[in-house]
Amino acid sequence: MKIKIKQRELSKHINIVQKSISSRTTMQILDGILLEAKKDKLKLTGTDLELSIESFVDCEIIEEGSIVVNSRIFGDIIKKLENDLVTITVDKTNINIKCENSEFNISGNSGEDYPDLPLVVERDSFNIPMDIFKTVIKKTVFATTADETRPTLTGVLVEIENRFISFIALDGYRLAFKRLPINTDANTKMIIPGRSLNEINKILEEKEEDLNISVSPSHIIVNLGSTTIYSRLLEGPFFNYKDIIRKEHKTIVKVKKQELQNSLERASLLAKEEKANLVKLSLIDNTLNIKSNTEVGNVFESIDAQADGEDVNIAFNSRYIIEGIKAIDDEEIKLNFMGSLNPCIINGLEDEDYTYLVLPVRLAQDDF
Amino acid sequence: MKIKIKQRELSKHINIVQKSISSRTTMQILDGILLEAKKDKLKLTGTDLELSIESFVDCEIIEEGSIVVNSRIFGDIIKKLENDLVTITVDKTNINIKCENSEFNISGNSGEDYPDLPLVVERDSFNIPMDIFKTVIKKTVFATTADETRPTLTGVLVEIENRFISFIALDGYRLAFKRLPINTDANTKMIIPGRSLNEINKILEEKEEDLNISVSPSHIIVNLGSTTIYSRLLEGPFFNYKDIIRKEHKTIVKVKKQELQNSLERASLLAKEEKANLVKLSLIDNTLNIKSNTEVGNVFESIDAQADGEDVNIAFNSRYIIEGIKAIDDEEIKLNFMGSLNPCIINGLEDEDYTYLVLPVRLAQDDF
C-alpha cells in the first residue's frame, strides 16, 4: 500500500475514528485503526465491537492495500507532522510515514487480522437535524445508569411512533424524557448504549444539517457523509416508564430556573461528595424554602415561587434534582408535586416536550 | 466579629490566599484561612509555614474580631453566593454567612489558635516589573529538581550584584540562567523555593507595574499593594554554576527555533513516557539530523542549520532539551557545542541574557 494524503484531513478523521477505540480493550488488534486504500479513498475503521466507526478521506493512491496501525501512536505522529502532504508506504508490516523532512517507521499488523464489522440489514431509516440530535443526547443520556447489572438502563430508549420520536433514560432515581415530531412512517423502538451516544455527540457538529439514521434489528447506523457510525443496540425489556409520568398534580410551583439552580447548588455545597446529599424543599404559600443540614454546617435558601395547590415538604438527593434542572433551557420551570412520597415532575414553561422526573427521599414530616 | 463585604472582592482575595494553603497539611488549623476584621479592612491570612499570604479587603465593620474558617468550604460558599453584599457574623466559633436569600452556618476555630507568621526583618529591597518577574519565573523554575534529597536545588538561586539580578535553576541534568539589569545598590543572594515561585506566578498579573520585593535573612517578601506574600528561603550552598557556563565552543549552530522544537517533539513521540527518551543529533555540514530509535519504531528528522566549527554527534534526553528550547522566545537560536561529552549551551539569537545548558547522554560514536 502506498498513498499521499493531506495531513490535516487525515488527522481530523483519525480523531473521529478514535472515538470508537477503547483504552481498556483486551484484544490487542482493537487498539488499532484499520487503514484500507482503495479507489482514491483511504478508509479508516475503528471498533470496540460495540461501537464502530468508518471514515473516508480523499487521497492519491499509488498502490492499494491495507494495514492495522496502533491508534494512539499513529494519531500522535500524524497530528505532529507539518501541514503538508503525507506519504504512507506499507511494506509487509512496516509502515513508513514521510512528510517534509520527517520520516517515521513503525510496525503494524496485517489488515486480514482485523475483525469484520457486523453485517447490518437496514430496517427503518429517518432524518434528524444534527444540532437537535446533539441537544436530545445532552438532555437524556446523563440519566442512564452506570450499573452494569441493569444493562438496558445503561442505554437510552428511542421510540418512533405516529410521527413522533421519544428518547427516555432512567436509572431508578430519576427519568429524562424528550419528544420530537419526526418525518417518518416508521414505528420502531430500540435501546442505544449511553456510551455510544456520548461518543456520537463528540463527533456531531452544531449544525442544522440533517443526519440520516438507519436501524437494523441489532444496530443503529448514523450516517454523516464521509463518516458512518455503527452502534450495537441493547437487548431486553426496558422499564415501563409510561405509568410513572402522571398527569395529575396536587401542587404546581412555578419558579425562575436559574434562581432555583443556584439555590440548590449552594444548598449542596456543604455535603461531602461521597454521601447522598439531601436537600429539603418546603413550599409555604408563595415561597420555596430549601434547607440542608450536614456535619459541616447548615444552609437555608428561599426563593419566590408562584404556587397553585397545597403546601408541600419534600426531600431530594441534590445531585439528581440539580442535573435535571440544568438540562432545561427555559427561563421558568414548573415543579409538579403529588405529596412528599411521589416523584416530582419538572418541565420548562415553554418546552412541554421535555420532562424530568425525580424520586423524593422519604423523610418523616418532623424532619423538615 | 461582624462585617459586610462585597462578594466578588472577597472571593477574589480568598482565591489569592488559598495559593498558600497545602492540601497535604497535617495540622488541621492550616486548612483554614484566618479572618481578622479591624479598622475598615478584613485581613485574610493563609500559610503552609513555608509560603504565607496576607490579603486586605475593604469592608464595613460592625464588630471587630477574628476567626479561622476552612479554606475550601469558605471559598466554595463565597464563590457561589450572588454578587451582592455578604454579611459575616461570628459568634464564638459559629460563622453565619448571609447574602440575599441565602444563609449558611458553619463552624470555625478561634483565631488565637492560628500560628503567628514569622517576624521578618527587612534587609534589602528592590523593584521589578510584574510581567518581567512572571517571565523570569517561567523561564527558570521548570529546571529545579523535585528531588527533596538535594533541597537547595528545589529552589531558584537569585543573585543581585553590580546592578544586575540573576536567576539560576538546575537539577543536575540542565541549567537555566536569566540575567536582568536592576535599579538597586544591594548585593545579595538567596534561594527561593520553586513551589513558592510557582504559586507567586499564579497570583501575579501580566502588568508592567512595578512589584516591590524585600529580603530578610530567612524570607523574601513580595508586596502587591493589598496582598503580601512571604516565602521562607532555602538554606545551604548552591551548586557553583558559574564554572560550567563556558565561553569557548568548538561548534556553533544557528537554527530556527520552532523547526527544531517541532522536530524534537516528533522525535520524542515514539518513546514510552517512563523511559529516558534519547534523541541523537548529528551535524553534517549545514544540516542537523535528529534520530530516535525505540521499541515502537524509529524517526528521522533533518533541518537546515547554519553551522560554524566541526561536525558533531551528540545525544540528549529529549525532555531536557525540548523544555529549554520552549523557554526561549526568539525566532532563531544558537546551539553551542564542545564535542559530544560536554554540555550544550543554548541561547536565543536576540536575548543573550537567557542561557539554557543541557548535559548530553554519553553514547559510543558507533551508536549514531
Side-chain angles (χ1 to χ4, degrees), chain B residues 343-361:
Chain B
C344 168
I345 293 176
I346 309 175
N347 300 111
L349 226 59
E350 308 275 319
D351 177 9
E352 289 274 348
D353 285 335
Y354 182 66
T355 298
Y356 187 79
L357 177 150
V358 53
L359 260 60
V361 177

Side-chain angles (χ1 to χ4, degrees), chain A residues 64-79:
Chain A
E64 294 190 343
S66 73
I67 190 80
V68 180
V69 55
N70 180 284
S71 150
R72 188 184 58 78
I73 294 169
F74 187 58
D76 286 352
I77 292 172
I78 301 299
K79 190 168 68 186

Side-chain angles (χ1 to χ4, degrees), chain A residues 102-103 105 298 300-301, chain B residues 102-103 105 265 298 300-301:
Chain A
S102 307
E103 179 172 355
N105 285 291
N298 61 64
F300 180 85
E301 296 272 336
Chain B
S102 306
E103 179 172 355
N105 285 292
E265 284 177 345
N298 61 65
F300 180 85
E301 295 272 337

Side-chain angles (χ1 to χ4, degrees), chain B residues 141-243:
Chain B
V141 77
F142 68 93
T144 57
T145 184
D147 177 1
E148 296 284 347
T149 64
R150 296 188 298 171
T152 57
L153 299 191
T154 64
V156 175
L157 174 68
V158 180
E159 288 185 328
I160 302 177
E161 212 175 24
N162 304 327
R163 307 185 83 77
F164 274 95
I165 183 166
S166 304
F167 298 80
I168 304 98
L170 66 95
D171 65 0
Y173 303 103
R174 40 52 187 293
L175 174 154
F177 174 93
K178 175 73 186 171
R179 203 174 81 125
L180 296 169
I182 195 160
N183 190 14
T184 174
D185 291 322
N187 282 296
T188 184
K189 60 170 77 178
M190 65 199 116
I191 307 171
I192 309 175
R195 171 171 128 69
S196 296
L197 288 171
N198 278 325
E199 299 301 335
I200 290 169
N201 195 28
K202 290 179 199 159
I203 297 169
L204 299 184
E205 294 172 51
E206 284 286 0
K207 285 183 185 167
E208 289 177 27
E209 249 168 61
D210 259 359
L211 193 72
N212 178 263
I213 298 182
S214 310
V215 187
S216 87
S218 61
H219 282 79
I220 179 174
I221 304 116
V222 180
N223 198 324
L224 291 163
S226 58
T227 300
T228 310
I229 309 167
Y230 301 80
S231 170
R232 192 171 61 74
L233 296 174
L234 295 171
E235 281 173 33
F238 200 78
F239 189 83
N240 184 7
Y241 71 93
K242 282 177 185 161
D243 293 349

Side-chain angles (χ1 to χ4, degrees), chain A residues 36-247:
Chain A
E36 295 171 283
K38 212 169 155 181
K39 291 187 199 152
D40 297 334
K41 297 269 186 192
L42 178 70
K43 177 176 163 191
L44 295 88
T45 305
T47 186
D48 66 358
L49 302 180
E50 180 172 274
L51 179 67
S52 307
I53 304 178
E54 287 176 350
S55 217
F56 288 86
V57 195
D58 288 331
C59 69
E60 180 193 335
I61 294 193
I62 295 140
E63 193 191 331
E64 294 190 343
S66 73
I67 190 80
V68 180
V69 55
N70 180 284
S71 150
R72 188 184 58 78
I73 294 169
F74 187 58
D76 286 352
I77 292 172
I78 301 299
K79 190 168 68 186
K80 278 281 187 184
L81 291 176
E82 303 295 323
N83 178 19
D84 204 335
L85 264 191
V86 181
T87 305
I88 301 178
T89 313
V90 175
D91 182 13
K92 286 176 191 145
T93 59
N94 183 65
I95 305 163
N96 176 278
I97 303 165
K98 273 192 198 167
C99 178
E100 291 196 358
N101 296 321
S102 307
E103 179 172 355
F104 285 79
N105 285 291
I106 54 175
S107 55
N109 288 98
S110 163
E112 287 160 23
D113 298 340
Y114 198 81
D116 289 327
L117 293 199
L119 259 182
V120 173
V121 184
E122 217 177 277
R123 191 179 60 186
D124 292 302
S125 170
F126 57 91
N127 289 335
I128 187 168
M130 226 188 268
D131 54 349
I132 290 183
F133 194 46
K134 271 182 89 73
T135 308
V136 169
I137 294 173
K138 204 187 75 189
K139 283 179 188 284
T140 55
V141 77
F142 69 93
T144 57
T145 184
D147 178 0
E148 295 285 346
T149 64
R150 296 189 298 170
T152 57
L153 300 190
T154 64
V156 175
L157 174 68
V158 180
E159 287 185 328
I160 303 177
E161 213 176 22
N162 305 329
R163 306 184 84 79
F164 273 95
I165 184 167
S166 304
F167 298 80
I168 303 99
L170 66 95
D171 66 359
Y173 303 103
R174 40 49 188 293
L175 173 153
F177 174 92
K178 175 72 188 171
R179 203 173 80 126
L180 296 168
I182 195 159
N183 190 12
T184 175
D185 291 322
N187 281 296
T188 184
K189 60 170 78 179
M190 64 200 116
I191 306 170
I192 308 175
R195 171 171 127 69
S196 295
L197 289 171
N198 278 324
E199 298 302 335
I200 290 169
N201 195 26
K202 290 179 199 159
I203 297 169
L204 299 183
E205 295 171 52
E206 283 287 0
K207 286 182 182 165
E208 289 178 27
E209 250 167 60
D210 259 358
L211 194 72
N212 178 263
I213 297 182
S214 311
V215 186
S216 86
S218 61
H219 283 80
I220 178 175
I221 304 115
V222 180
N223 197 324
L224 291 162
S226 59
T227 300
T228 310
I229 308 167
Y230 301 82
S231 169
R232 194 171 60 75
L233 297 174
L234 295 170
E235 281 173 32
F238 200 79
F239 188 85
N240 183 7
Y241 70 93
K242 282 177 183 160
D243 293 349
I244 61 169
I245 308 181
R246 356 162 272 288
K247 298 281 171 224

Side-chain angles (χ1 to χ4, degrees), chain B residues 1-65:
Chain B
M1 158 178 160
K2 183 170 184 177
I3 60 168
K4 285 180 197 279
I5 190 162
K6 284 187 189 146
Q7 180 267 344
R8 204 158 286 181
E9 277 292 290
L10 178 56
S11 188
K12 180 183 144 190
H13 285 263
I14 292 171
N15 209 3
I16 290 173
V17 169
Q18 280 177 334
K19 301 283 184 291
S20 66
I21 294 172
S22 163
S23 54
R24 293 174 302 164
T25 180
T26 48
M27 281 173 69
Q28 199 234 317
I29 193 114
L30 297 188
D31 280 339
I33 294 176
L34 172 64
L35 305 179
E36 294 171 283
K38 210 168 155 182
K39 290 186 197 152
D40 297 334
K41 297 269 186 193
L42 179 70
K43 177 177 163 193
L44 295 89
T45 305
T47 185
D48 66 359
L49 301 179
E50 179 173 276
L51 179 69
S52 307
I53 304 178
E54 288 177 353
S55 217
F56 288 87
V57 195
D58 287 332
C59 69
E60 180 193 337
I61 294 193
I62 294 140
E63 194 191 330
E64 293 189 344

